[in-house]
Amino acid sequence: DGGITQSPKYLFRKEGQNVTLSCEQNLNHDAMYWYRQDPGQGLRLIYYSQIVNDFQKGDIAEGYSVSREKKESFPLTVTSAQKNPTAFYLCASSIDGRGYQPQHFGDGTRLSIL
Amino acid sequence: QKEVEQDPGPLSVPEGAIVSLNCTYSNSAFQYFMWYRQYSRKGPELLMYTYSSGNKEDGRFTAQVDKSSKYISLFIRDSQPSDSATYLCAMIYHDGNQFYFGTGTSLTVIP
């Protein structure tokens, strides 16, 4: 079954700790995205990548980092510099990142502060 | 002003009702419009995808785009309790690489 797998489902971070959220897709999509979802604020774009070894900052990239070493994988690291990391994180992909291709989402990772 | 505005609700309707969900937007350059359904603690799933103005129907769902008014709608006929979810609108420019999302409308269909 093709889709996007995010892990873990729930993650807890201690103060000063970096944590990494996993996103894997087997849809053969070129473009991948990370969003943050907070109540009442909708989805905000953190980073996106349209091709392997290249990625761009979104609207709220500060305190986050990504890598795109493989087409299938786009991990997100929430660094200790992100002072308010508690949120629902969603990974998405689209065929080639062009405007007329819709995005498909994983089931998210909920990150909380210990 | 936000690029995309969506009434957060919550909206509560009896089973079998017709539901109307709406978004307005400010930039006339948006060309592609989507509706997503998101169940609690799940990721959004694509429901409808339309290009430019007009209507698109898929089963009990109809998506409508009015570019002159910068207004899009999603209609749900014969609503079911399983339709209870948050509905997000999204849109993008023709040559854009960033989607713009509404904040979502929470819908509850009461049996």
Side-chain angles (χ1 to χ4, degrees), chain B residues 4-19:
Chain B
V4 181
E5 299 276 1
Q6 185 175 10
D7 186 338
L11 187 60
S12 186
V13 301
E15 184 176 353
I18 296 174
V19 176

Side-chain angles (χ1 to χ4, degrees), chain B:
Chain B
Q1 185 188 6
K2 284 186 180 177
E3 297 266 12
V4 181
E5 299 276 1
Q6 185 175 10
D7 186 338
L11 187 60
S12 186
V13 301
E15 184 176 353
I18 296 174
V19 176
S20 172
L21 304 166
N22 310 295
C23 286
T24 58
Y25 60 94
S26 56
N27 195 324
S28 57
F30 286 129
Q31 291 278 356
Y32 301 93
F33 304 90
M34 285 137 277
W35 285 96
Y36 288 85
R37 177 175 63 196
Q38 185 177 21
Y39 291 115
S40 181
R41 290 185 286 275
K42 291 286 194 180
E45 59 175 313
L46 182 66
L47 267 183
M48 300 289 282
Y49 172 62
T50 54
Y51 169 69
S52 199
S53 282
N55 290 1
K56 182 176 180 180
E57 190 173 318
D58 184 0
R60 296 184 296 110
F61 299 91
T62 300
Q64 195 173 77
V65 176
D66 182 349
K67 292 198 75 183
S68 61
S69 302
K70 300 194 190 75
Y71 189 89
I72 67 171
S73 300
L74 177 70
F75 298 97
I76 307 174
R77 289 183 300 281
D78 187 26
S79 55
Q80 303 294 310
S82 58
D83 295 327
S84 298
T86 296
Y87 290 80
L88 300 160
C89 63
M91 49 199 78
I92 189 168
Y93 310 130
H94 175 72
D95 57 354
N97 52 22
Q98 181 171 345
F99 287 73
Y100 293 83
F101 287 85
T103 52
T105 299
S106 174
L107 171 68
T108 300
V109 180
I110 302 166

